[in-house]
Amino acid sequence: MATLNLKINGKTHTVDVEEDTPLLWVLRDHLGLVGTKYSCGIAQCGACTVHLNGEAIFSCSMPVSSVGSDEVTTIEGLSEEGDHPVQQAWEEIDVAQCGYCQAGQIMNAAAFLKKNPSPSMDEIENAMNRNLCRCGTYHKIREAVAKAAKI
Amino acid sequence: MATLTKTNRRDFLKIAGTTAGGLFIGFNWLGCDSPKMEVLSDEQVLSQAKNFNAYLSIAPSGDIVIYSPNPELGQNIKTSFPMVVAEELDADWKKVRVLQANLDTEKFDRQLTGGSGAMPHSWERLRKAGATARYLLVAAAANEWAVPAEEITTSEGMIFHKGSGKEASYGDMAIAASMIEAPEDVVLKDKKDFKIIGTPVKNVDSRAIYTGKPLYGLDFYREGMMHAMVQRPPFGMKIKSVDDTAAKAVNGVSQVVTFDNSVAVIGNSTWPLMKAKKLLKVEYEPDGMVESTSDHDRIFREMLDSGKAEERRRDGNVDMAFKNAAQVVTAEYQCPFLSHSPMEPMNFFAHVKENSAELIGPTQTPDRAASSAAEILGIPKENITVEITRLGGGFGRRLRADYADEAVKISKLINAPVKVTWSREDDLTGGAYRPAVRYRFEAALDSDGNMIGYKLKGAGINAGNSTRQNNFPSGAVDNVLIESIDHQSPITTNAWRAPITNFLAYAEQSFLDEVAMAAKKDPVEFRLALLEKAKANPVGGELGYDADRMIGVIKTAAEKSNWGKNPNVSQGFSVYFSHRTYVAQVADIEMENGAPVLKKITAATDCGMVINPTGANHQVRGGIVDGMGHAMYGNLTFENGLPTQKNFDKYRLIRMKEVPQIDVHYVDSGFDPTGLGEPALPPTGGAVANAIYKATERRLRTQPFIEQKEFEDLNLVIKRS
Ligand code: FES
Ligand code: FES
C-alpha cells in the first residue's frame, strides 16, 4: 500500500492504494469519479481516456504510482460548466447512442484539438480511430470533432 | 363543463384534497382505456420522483415529468417515448423532464427492450396518455372561464380562449384539471398537426453523458457495498477443485465463495479482485460434451447431410421443380459465434435482505431479473424491486438475467449488498452468444431464368429455428422447402441484435444475388419481379410481409443510389424485412489503383412514421456499422469449451476508419411507427458481399470476411468522403 497525492481536476486528492492499481480504478472506486469508463482494461478501446498533463492516455493501463505529480484531468474536470467546445459540439451534433464510450471519445478529441486546432478529416480519423464505439456513432464523432474545431 | 362517463374504476385512481397539487396521468400500458390520476405536491413530484412510476405529471410551476418505462440502451427510447406524450399534450418540450421508471408490472406492460417492439407496442398508449391530460386541462379552463371547451386551443403548454382573450398555462390549470374525471376516449391529433414528432429532438441524457455523470450500472456505488468478480467454468465443464490460497492473500480481498459452478472473489474495490481472480487455481473436469470450433465444422456438415431436419414450410412440388430445372444453383453460407460485447460489461447490484431484495443495474428485462431473483430466494416477486440504470449497450445480451442472478446469490451468501462486475474477459467468455449457423441453399431455374424452386436448410448450434420460413422469397416461388436442424451444445446462446436474421439475411441476399447472376438478370429487377409475382398470386396464402412496402424500399434505394447508372461503380443490393420494418441497401465499390474501394452504403427504410429523425438516423447508421463490422471482423472460436478471443485485442470490433459513408433515406408509407433498433443491420453484409462480388468476382460465403481466403489478396479499402 502507498499513500499518494494525486492532482486531479485541479485539486489534490490523497489515496491509500496498492501501487499497481490502474489510475482508472482509483478514479472510479476510490474517488467516485465514475465518468471515466472501464471497458477492456488493456488499452484497446479508449473508454478510460483521461488527460495526463494534457495528453490523452488510457487510464486502465497506467499504474497510479507512475502518475506522480502530473496533472490528471477527467471528463468531470474538462470544463466547469460542461461547456468545453468538444462537449458543446457533442451536444449540438447529438452524438451518443448508449453513450458509454463518449466520455473517452470527448477526452481524446479535446486533447487532440488542443494539439491540432484545425485538423483535416484524415487527421481527425487518425486521432479518433483508437476509441471504439460499439453503437457505431463514428459518423457523428467525426462530424462533432470537426465542429468543435470551429467553436 | 366536460362531462365524463363510464370511467373504469380499476384504471382510475384519484386522491382528492391535496392543495398544492399537480396532475398525474398514468399511462396504463396494459389496458390504457382510461388513465390513472393522482394529485401530488411539487415536493412529492421532485423528491419522491423515484417512487412513482407510470405517470405524467404537471406541476403548478408548469414543469412536466414524464416517466419512461423501457430500458434505454442507446435506442433512444427515453427521448422518443416522451416526445409522443408531449406531442399529444401540446407541451412545451423545454419544460419536460424525463425520468427512467423502475420496474412496475402493475403500471407498465412490456417493460423491456428487445425485438424493436417498444414503439409499435406503445404508440397508441403514449398518444392517449398525452391527449387525456390535454383534454382535462382544457376542460378545467372551460369551467373556470365559463366558455365551451371546443373554443379553447392549446399550444406549447399554454391554454387560450380567443373570444374572451383569456389565457393560462398548464401549470395554472393543473390542480383544477386533476379534479376532473378522465374521459374514456379522447380524440388524437391529426398527424399533419404534429409539432414535436418528426423533428430532431436531442437525447434527453446528453448533458449527463457528456459531463460524466453516473448513469450506468457500473457507475452505481453505495456506502458499505462489497464488490465481487466471478470465475465461471468453460462450457461443458464443472469444477473439480478450487485452491484459493493465493487469491485470498491479495490485499483488499475479504472472501472467496463457491456457488453453483462458479467461484466469486469478494472485496472492497475492483482492482484487487481482478488480480485475485487471476490467482485462483480452479481445476475443471468435463461435465458432458466439451466442444471446439473444429467439432462444430464437422457437426454442421453432419446436420446438413442428415435427413433429419424439421420441415418449416413446404409449397408445391419441390422435387418436381428441381427435376425439371434448366439450371440449379446451390451454395452454403456459414457464420461463427459472436459476442454481444456492449461497451459496458455485465454488472449488477443486489442487496438481499430477510424477505426482500433490491436490485439495481443495466437490464433489458427487469421483470425477468425480478422473477429469477424471486425464484432463487424463494420469496414473493412483489418483495423485489428493480431499478433500471442506463445501459451501456445491450444488443440482446442483457435480455438474460444470469448476471443479476449472480449478484443475488452472492449477496445472500455473504449477507451484504454487493455489486458484481464482469471484466471484459468475463464478458467475452461468459456465454450467451449469437449462435453459429450454416445454411444450404438450392434454387431451380427454368430456361427463362425464373426461379421455380427454392430450398433452404438451416443448421444451427443452439439456434432453435435458424430459418424464417415465411420471409421473402417464400410466397414468391411456387415450390419451396424450408427446413432447420439444431445441435444442442453446452455453449450458451441468446438473442443477438436481429436474432437469426442478422446472418440469415446476408446469406439469403447473397444467394439471391448468385441466383440472379445465374439467371443473367439484374439483381433489383430479379427481386422486383418476384415481389410482383407474390403480390399477384401469393403462394401458400397470406404473405409474411407486405410486398408493396418491400417494393417501395427497393425502388427508393435503387433510385437514391443511382443503381446501375454508373459503369465505374460496382454495386451490391440487399433488402430485408424484420421486426416490422423494411430496409433496402446498396453498397458502392469503385476500383482505384487496382484496388476495390468501398465508398458508400445507401439505405432506404420504411419504418412507418419517423418519430425522431436524429434517433432514426442513429439506429440506421448504427445498425449498418454493426452489420458491416461483424460481417467483416467478428469471430468467436472455441478450444475445449473456452473462447479463444478473450478481449478486444483478438476479438475485433469495427473502428472509425473501417466504415464507409452511409446515406440514409426513408420511405413515407403513412403507416404507424415501427421499431428501428434492429432492422437496418440484417441487409448490410449482403449488400457489401454482393458489391465485392460485382467488383472482383469473389463470392464471400463465410463470415468474417477478413479470415476467408477469397478476401486475402483483395486489398479492400474503405473510405468516407
Ligand atoms: S478500458 Fe482502457 S482502453 Fe479500454
Ligand atoms: S455510444 Fe454506445 S458505445 Fe459509443
Side-chain angles (χ1 to χ4, degrees):
Chain A
M1 292 284 267
T3 302
L4 301 167
N5 292 317
L6 300 170
K7 284 195 218 152
I8 301 168
N9 299 334
K11 284 197 201 106
T12 303
H13 297 264
T14 307
V15 289
D16 281 312
V17 288
E18 291 289 342
E19 298 189 7
D20 63 351
T21 310
L23 173 60
L24 168 69
W25 293 111
V26 175
L27 294 171
R28 292 185 58 85
D29 283 352
H30 300 272
L31 298 172
L33 293 168
V34 296
T36 305
K37 300 302 187 212
Y38 165 73
S39 188
C40 73
I42 60 161
Q44 288 291 317
C45 76
C48 63
T49 304
V50 299
H51 296 171
L52 199 66
N53 290 339
E55 287 278 334
I57 59 136
F58 299 133
S59 66
C60 69
S61 302
M62 156 86 45
V64 67
S65 56
S66 56
V67 172
S69 60
D70 290 355
E71 299 269 355
V72 176
T73 308
T74 71
I75 186 75
E76 291 91 344
L78 183 62
S79 62
E80 222 145 85
E81 304 290 328
D83 58 355
H84 184 281
V86 174
Q87 287 167 312
Q88 284 183 45
W90 246 250
E91 213 166 322
E92 184 80 10
I93 307 286
D94 207 2
V95 175
Q97 285 190 39
C98 83
Y100 194 80
C101 72
Q102 300 297 347
Q105 307 274 7
I106 289 171
M107 293 309 285
N108 188 19
F112 163 67
L113 287 175
K114 196 149 197 191
K115 269 195 263 172
N116 186 349
S118 42
S120 68
M121 223 12 130
D122 275 352
E123 288 169 332
I124 291 176
E125 290 182 351
N126 284 333
M128 298 307 295
N129 203 53
R130 65 188 230 172
N131 286 60
L132 284 172
C133 172
R134 175 69 180 84
C135 298
T137 63
Y138 297 126
H139 296 87
K140 292 224 167 193
I141 293 169
R142 302 164 78 223
E143 206 184 325
V145 179
K147 168 122 205 161
K150 299 208 178 78
I151 295 178
Chain B
M1 118 160 231
T3 45
L4 304 156
T5 52
K6 286 195 299 174
T7 298
N8 180 344
R9 291 301 313 171
R10 188 175 59 85
D11 288 336
F12 187 81
L13 164 72
K14 186 161 136 183
I15 303 164
T18 309
T19 48
L23 169 64
F24 273 72
I25 301 294
F27 330 151
N28 188 341
W29 318 61
L30 203 62
C32 202
D33 292 329
S34 61
K36 293 177 190 174
M37 227 168 102
E38 276 180 24
V39 181
L40 292 170
S41 71
D42 255 353
E43 272 102 45
Q44 281 174 306
V45 173
L46 300 170
S47 68
Q48 300 185 12
K50 284 258 171 208
N51 297 331
F52 293 90
N53 299 325
Y55 294 108
L56 148 63
S57 84
I58 302 168
S61 62
D63 280 336
I64 296 172
V65 174
I66 300 177
Y67 279 96
S68 186
N70 291 46
E72 169 65 67
L73 47 69
Q75 85 283 37
N76 215 27
I77 205 79
K78 197 174 169 186
T79 304
S80 51
F81 264 25
M83 280 174 72
V84 178
V85 178
E87 177 68 67
E88 290 287 351
L89 178 61
D90 253 348
D92 177 359
W93 181 254
K94 292 190 290 298
K95 290 195 149 187
V96 172
R97 290 182 299 137
V98 180
L99 298 175
Q100 176 72 54
N102 297 339
L103 173 67
D104 193 325
T105 47
E106 293 213 332
K107 287 173 181 154
F108 303 120
D109 182 26
R110 201 188 182 281
Q111 198 176 0
L112 63 87
T113 290
S116 300
M119 190 51 82
H121 175 83
S122 300
W123 168 244
E124 208 53 46
R125 293 166 165 82
L126 296 165
R127 293 182 71 191
K128 273 192 182 177
T132 305
R134 181 186 167 277
Y135 177 96
L136 296 173
L137 292 158
V138 168
N143 283 345
E144 195 165 313
W145 300 337
V147 300
E150 301 74 54
E151 290 178 9
I152 289 177
T153 57
T154 57
S155 172
E156 293 188 19
M158 293 294 293
I159 311 171
F160 305 96
H161 182 251
K162 210 169 168 207
S164 61
K166 289 201 163 53
E167 63 173 69
S169 73
Y170 281 4
D172 296 337
M173 289 295 162
I175 296 169
S178 71
M179 307 296 170
I180 300 170
E181 284 192 26
E184 204 163 82
D185 264 323
V186 283
V187 181
L188 301 178
K189 276 189 183 175
D190 197 323
K191 287 180 187 168
K192 72 171 173 16
D193 296 328
F194 284 169
K195 289 186 197 128
I196 298 172
I197 291 175
T199 64
V201 171
K202 294 207 170 105
N203 181 337
V204 294
D205 279 341
S206 301
R207 251 205 121 60
I209 294 170
Y210 306 145
T211 53
K213 295 283 174 305
L215 288 171
Y216 304 90
L218 211 60
D219 300 344
F220 180 81
Y221 288 75
R222 179 178 287 171
E223 195 62 37
M225 151 187 115
M226 300 305 291
H227 292 255
M229 294 190 95
V230 178
Q231 171 76 42
R232 300 166 193 86
F235 300 99
M237 302 269 213
K238 62 178 183 207
I239 293 178
K240 190 172 166 199
S241 67
V242 178
D243 176 358
D244 60 10
T245 326
K248 270 186 177 154
V250 173
N251 196 1
V253 172
S254 54
Q255 216 176 335
V256 176
V257 293
T258 301
F259 66 100
D260 298 345
N261 211 2
S262 300
V263 185
V265 286
I266 323 284
N268 51 19
S269 61
T270 315
W271 178 245
L273 304 183
M274 288 188 162
K275 286 201 288 186
K277 211 158 128 330
K278 290 205 179 97
L279 296 171
L280 276 176
K281 292 198 189 78
V282 188
E283 258 191 279
Y284 295 100
E285 59 190 359
D287 182 20
M289 256 178 328
V290 179
E291 296 175 357
S292 299
T293 295
S294 52
D295 300 320
H296 295 147
D297 289 340
R298 174 180 48 80
I299 290 167
F300 276 139
R301 214 153 290 284
E302 286 169 3
M303 284 196 285
L304 286 174
D305 291 340
S306 85
K308 278 186 288 194
E310 188 172 335
E311 188 174 306
R312 299 285 174 183
R313 178 174 176 132
R314 184 188 283 273
D315 296 310
N317 188 335
V318 181
D319 291 343
M320 190 70 88
F322 278 82
K323 222 176 100 197
N324 295 339
Q327 198 185 161
V328 171
V329 186
T330 61
E332 290 188 14
Y333 286 79
Q334 186 173 320
C335 70
F337 289 93
L338 289 180
S339 152
H340 300 79
S341 290
M343 289 297 279
E344 178 195 21
M346 297 306 111
N347 64 85
F348 231 81
F349 169 87
H351 189 184
V352 175
K353 295 164 218 166
E354 183 70 30
N355 189 36
S356 68
E358 182 189 9
L359 303 184
I360 300 171
T363 170
Q364 292 178 240
T365 51
D367 191 33
R368 185 173 292 168
S371 304
S372 186
E375 203 178 307
I376 290 165
L377 300 171
I379 63 174
K381 194 172 142 194
E382 304 80 74
N383 298 4
I384 291 164
T385 60
V386 184
E387 190 175 316
I388 310 161
T389 61
R390 193 176 174 88
L391 285 66
F395 310 101
R397 179 61 183 86
R398 296 189 225 265
L399 289 166
R400 281 167 74 102
D402 56 334
Y403 56 102
D405 291 350
E406 285 180 345
V408 170
K409 288 174 188 170
I410 295 168
S411 175
K412 189 174 161 74
L413 270 173
I414 67 170
N415 195 23
V418 69
K419 179 168 75 176
V420 175
T421 298
W422 293 39
S423 67
R424 177 55 56 195
E425 289 79 3
D426 295 333
D427 207 87
L428 263 152
T429 59
Y433 308 111
R434 188 277 297 271
V437 180
R438 188 173 176 94
Y439 292 110
R440 176 178 292 164
F441 293 90
E442 294 167 73
L445 298 174
D446 68 12
S447 52
D448 295 327
N450 297 310
M451 186 155 64
I452 53 171
Y454 178 76
K455 285 200 260 184
L456 165 61
K457 191 171 183 181
I461 296 172
N462 289 348
N465 175 9
S466 53
T467 71
R468 290 292 178 266
Q469 62 272 13
N470 298 326
N471 272 10
F472 182 79
S474 289
V477 183
D478 290 331
N479 306 291
V480 166
L481 175 63
I482 294 177
E483 303 167 290
S484 74
I485 180 166
D486 202 31
H487 166 74
Q488 303 289 308
S489 163
I491 296 169
T492 53
T493 61
N494 199 49
W496 191 101
R497 194 178 196 177
I500 299 300
T501 62
N502 59 54
F503 180 70
L504 173 60
Y506 151 80
E508 175 200 295
Q509 290 295 309
S510 297
F511 180 67
L512 287 181
D513 202 65
E514 294 197 56
V515 177
M517 297 296 145
K520 301 201 166 28
K521 289 186 177 167
D522 173 79
V524 169
E525 292 306 324
F526 179 70
R527 286 172 174 82
L528 287 174
L530 283 169
L531 285 161
E532 289 300 342
K533 181 173 182 302
K535 254 175 74 179
N537 187 13
V539 179
E542 210 186 314
L543 294 177
Y545 47 92
D546 182 330
D548 279 320
R549 293 181 79 178
M550 197 176 271
I551 290 169
V553 293
I554 291 176
K555 287 190 169 163
T556 304
E559 183 204 316
K560 300 289 183 191
S561 66
N562 281 321
W563 176 258
K565 297 265 166 63
N566 186 342
N568 297 326
V569 183
S570 302
Q571 294 184 301
F573 197 87
S574 179
V575 60
Y576 211 72
F577 164 63
S578 65
H579 305 280
R580 306 177 190 83
T581 294
Y582 299 79
V583 186
Q585 292 173 17
V586 176
D588 287 5
I589 289 183
E590 285 176 48
M591 298 303 285
E592 281 178 12
N593 310 320
V597 183
L598 175 62
K599 290 200 161 167
K600 188 168 80 174
I601 293 176
T602 305
T605 300
D606 178 356
C607 56
M609 173 169 260
V610 173
I611 292 177
N612 184 348
T614 310
N617 285 353
H618 256 321
Q619 291 312 307
V620 174
R621 280 207 197 126
I624 290 172
V625 170
D626 198 354
M628 173 151 165
H630 287 92
M632 291 281 291
Y633 312 112
N635 196 10
L636 196 70
T637 57
F638 290 83
E639 201 55 54
N640 296 321
L642 207 62
T644 315
Q645 299 78 7
K646 296 183 175 62
N647 205 323
F648 295 151
D649 52 344
K650 296 271 161 52
Y651 188 79
R652 188 166 162 193
L653 294 174
I654 192 166
R655 288 179 183 270
M656 178 179 279
K657 285 165 78 174
E658 293 157 346
V659 300
Q661 180 184 328
I662 298 173
D663 287 359
V664 181
H665 305 274
Y666 298 92
V667 175
D668 183 5
S669 58
F671 285 86
D672 283 349
T674 51
L676 264 183
E678 289 154 291
L681 186 152
T684 306
V688 172
N690 293 342
I692 289 175
Y693 179 81
K694 191 77 190 286
T696 65
E697 291 197 2
R698 296 204 194 170
R699 184 62 71 183
L700 291 155
R701 296 193 184 90
T702 305
Q703 291 184 358
F705 298 162
I706 49 153
E707 294 183 25
Q708 308 314 312
K709 66 175 186 326
E710 294 85 350
F711 200 84
E712 248 166 40
D713 54 350
L714 199 65
N715 301 320
L716 183 76
V717 178
I718 301 166
K719 270 193 191 167
R720 300 139 301 279
S721 43

